[in-house]
């Protein structure tokens, strides 16, 4: 049997915190593909060191930042330079399928003569500078048109992409681990925040401090997170622990995990479900979120939504009281979001696309 090869193209270096592109790469590897992960980098970033068998990481440099190409000649020049690099780099490899995470890479199919599945994981139009939005929308539309399939990662992005392409489908992350029922009957008084400590809504944190609710932060401190840590580490009810894998976190005193998204930040509004959401639920940890407009639909015994910062303590108290009782609902919810289900969808998509070639 000949080897099957998949190319994953992303501006995210492999060494960064695992996201959907890492999940897809590992899923394809675990289902018999050799995975070639291409980092397209503007500027200087540390080199990725890979210890995942069956995953090979490559890097090319981009001539221009993707949000700084307002003129057609810049875009064409950047594409020509990349095509030359890619043809040389992968001259000996025939790809069966390409996963493209770069919204402006509309040329990949013509380079490799393989079907392209483009994954649109952000609202690139809204996040662009006003003078770049027309160019970004035009490139996104071209990429969608020249892709065999287009996957969006939120309800709002799916709606946006439906206006650009009739090939769009919703495709969410999933729980990499099966549900593991936590020990029963424990005294759970701690609220966990797990993830990047940056751009959080401190109004929610202020309410939790006023109520003396114990909050444990675990994750890297970035940007304005330095000031946030400096301010709140003085409170007796707040602690900051160094970043670590979820497998190394002690959950025995945790009643729930809280998301502190600032809804005044437009980049948070399209979010439907993050990798972190499914990872925490797989450990049996229920979630408390702001009332985000595109958040994944789930029972309030799994994810409780709060319209106001003042609503968070009641939601937290609910899970303190009912932690053991909500476990069956969490387990049932995760049954709809497994790697097996996601691969079945992707495999049927690949079968359809490759049968056309």
């Amino acid at each position: 049997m000949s080897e099957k090869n998949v190319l994953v193209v992303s501006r995210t270096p492999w060494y960064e915190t695992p996201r959907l592109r890492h999940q897809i790469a590992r899923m394809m590897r675990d289902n018999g593909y050799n995975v070639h992960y291409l980092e397209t980098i503007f500027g200087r970033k540390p080199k990725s060191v890979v210890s995942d068998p069956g995953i090979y990481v490559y890097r090319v440099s981009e001539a221009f930042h993707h949000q700084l190409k307002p003129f057609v000649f810049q875009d064409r020049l950047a594409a020509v330079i990349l095509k030359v690099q890619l043809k040389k780099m992968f001259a000996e490899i025939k790809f069966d399928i390409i996963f493209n995470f770069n919204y402006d890479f509309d040329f990949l199919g013509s380079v490799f003569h393989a079907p392209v599945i483009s994954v649109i994981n952000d609202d690139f139009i809204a996040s662009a500078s006003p003078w770049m939005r027309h160019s970004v929308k035009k490139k996104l539309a071209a990429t969608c048109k020249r892709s065999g399939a287009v996957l969006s990662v939120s309800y709002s992005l799916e709606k946006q992409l439906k206006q650009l392409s009739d090939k769009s489908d919703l495709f969410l992350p999933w729980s990499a681990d099966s549900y593991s029922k936590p020990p029963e009957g424990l005294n759970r008084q701690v609220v966990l925040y797990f993830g990047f400590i940056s751009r959080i809504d401190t109004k929610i944190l202020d309410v939790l401090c006023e109520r003396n609710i114990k909050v444990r932060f675990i994750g890297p401190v970035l940007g304005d997170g330095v000031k946030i840590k400096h301010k709140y580490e003085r409170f007796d009810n707040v602690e900051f622990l160094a970043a670590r894998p979820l497998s190394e976190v002690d959950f025995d005193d945790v009643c729930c995990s809280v998301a502190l998204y600032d809804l005044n930040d437009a980049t948070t509004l399209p979010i439907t479900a993050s990798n972190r959401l499914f990872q925490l639920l797989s450990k049996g940890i229920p979630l408390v979120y702001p009332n985000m407009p595109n958040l994944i639909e789930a029972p309030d015994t799994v994810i409780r939504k709060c319209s106001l910062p003042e609503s968070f303590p009641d939601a937290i108290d609910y899970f303190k009281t009912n932690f053991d009782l909500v476990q069956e609902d969490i387990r049932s919810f995760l049954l709809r979001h497994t790697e097996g289900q996601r691969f079945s969808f992707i495999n049927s998509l690949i079968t359809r696309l490759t049968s056309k070639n």
Side-chain angles (χ1 to χ4, degrees), residues 190-198 200 202 205 209 214-222 224-244 260:
V190 174
V191 174
L192 175 67
Y193 177 92
F194 184 83
F196 293 112
I197 301 170
S198 175
I200 67 175
T202 56
L205 190 51
C209 288
K214 295 179 181 178
V215 183
R216 179 177 299 144
F217 285 87
I218 300 179
V221 180
L222 304 175
D224 65 348
V226 175
K227 292 182 179 179
I228 292 170
K229 181 175 184 291
H230 179 71
K231 176 181 177 180
Y232 289 98
E233 65 184 352
R234 304 174 186 178
F235 288 79
D236 292 338
N237 65 303
V238 179
E239 66 174 334
F240 290 84
L241 301 182
R244 65 200 64 188
L260 300 176

Side-chain angles (χ1 to χ4, degrees), residues 23 87 98-99 101 131 141 170 292 302 317 327 332 338 341 355:
Q23 274 195 304
K87 287 179 179 179
I98 299 168
F99 287 92
F101 282 82
W131 51 274
L170 181 67
M292 301 166 69
V302 177
D317 285 342
Q327 292 305 312
S332 297
T338 65
Q341 288 183 320
S355 67

Side-chain angles (χ1 to χ4, degrees), residues 83-94:
K83 286 179 183 180
V84 171
Q85 293 183 78
L86 296 180
K87 287 179 179 179
K88 182 178 180 180
M89 181 175 288
F90 298 111
E92 303 300 321
I93 302 174
K94 183 182 185 305

Side-chain angles (χ1 to χ4, degrees), residues 43-263:
R44 294 184 177 182
K45 291 187 178 181
K47 186 177 180 180
S48 293
V49 177
V50 185
S51 58
D52 290 70
I55 295 178
Y56 309 93
V57 175
Y58 310 79
R59 176 173 291 193
V60 294
S61 298
E62 295 196 58
F64 304 98
H65 189 281
H66 64 95
Q67 291 278 12
L68 296 175
K69 295 186 293 184
F71 303 111
V72 173
F73 82 88
Q74 288 178 296
D75 187 64
R76 289 178 178 172
L77 176 60
V80 168
I81 294 172
L82 284 168
K83 286 179 183 180
V84 171
Q85 293 183 78
L86 296 180
K87 287 179 179 179
K88 182 178 180 180
M89 181 175 288
F90 298 111
E92 303 300 321
I93 302 174
K94 183 182 185 305
F95 292 111
D96 296 273
I97 196 74
I98 299 168
F99 287 92
N100 169 42
F101 282 82
N102 293 356
Y103 72 91
D104 54 334
F105 274 33
D106 60 340
F107 53 82
L108 291 172
S110 64
V111 173
F112 297 110
H113 306 290
V116 177
I117 299 174
S118 287
V119 185
I120 308 303
N121 64 302
D122 203 349
D123 189 342
F124 295 104
I125 298 173
S127 61
S129 300
W131 51 274
M132 274 295 300
R133 283 177 187 157
H134 175 74
S135 297
V136 169
K137 184 176 182 179
K138 187 176 179 180
K139 287 302 298 183
L140 176 60
T143 298
C144 291
K145 180 179 180 180
R146 292 169 185 163
S147 299
V150 180
L151 304 180
S152 58
V153 300
S154 79
Y155 300 137
S156 63
L157 287 176
E158 183 187 25
K159 183 177 180 180
Q160 179 190 102
L161 293 173
K162 289 289 188 186
Q163 299 174 2
L164 302 177
S165 172
D166 58 0
K167 311 168 191 174
S168 176
D169 284 294
L170 181 67
F171 187 78
L172 298 178
W174 60 90
S175 173
D177 298 322
S178 300
Y179 167 78
S180 177
K181 187 176 181 179
E184 296 182 349
L186 300 182
N187 182 26
R188 298 179 178 274
Q189 297 296 320
V190 174
V191 174
L192 175 67
Y193 177 92
F194 184 83
F196 293 112
I197 301 170
S198 175
R199 297 191 300 175
I200 67 175
D201 188 346
T202 56
K203 295 188 296 296
I204 300 172
L205 190 51
D206 287 338
V207 170
L208 301 186
C209 288
E210 289 171 7
R211 300 288 189 91
N212 200 35
I213 294 172
K214 295 179 181 178
V215 183
R216 179 177 299 144
F217 285 87
I218 300 179
V221 180
L222 304 175
D224 65 348
V226 175
K227 292 182 179 179
I228 292 170
K229 181 175 184 291
H230 179 71
K231 176 181 177 180
Y232 289 98
E233 65 184 352
R234 304 174 186 178
F235 288 79
D236 292 338
N237 65 303
V238 179
E239 66 174 334
F240 290 84
L241 301 182
R244 65 200 64 188
L246 206 65
S247 59
E248 297 178 11
V249 175
D250 182 359
F251 293 103
D252 284 353
D253 59 356
V254 174
C255 66
C256 64
S257 181
V258 65
L260 300 176
Y261 289 111
D262 185 349
L263 299 189

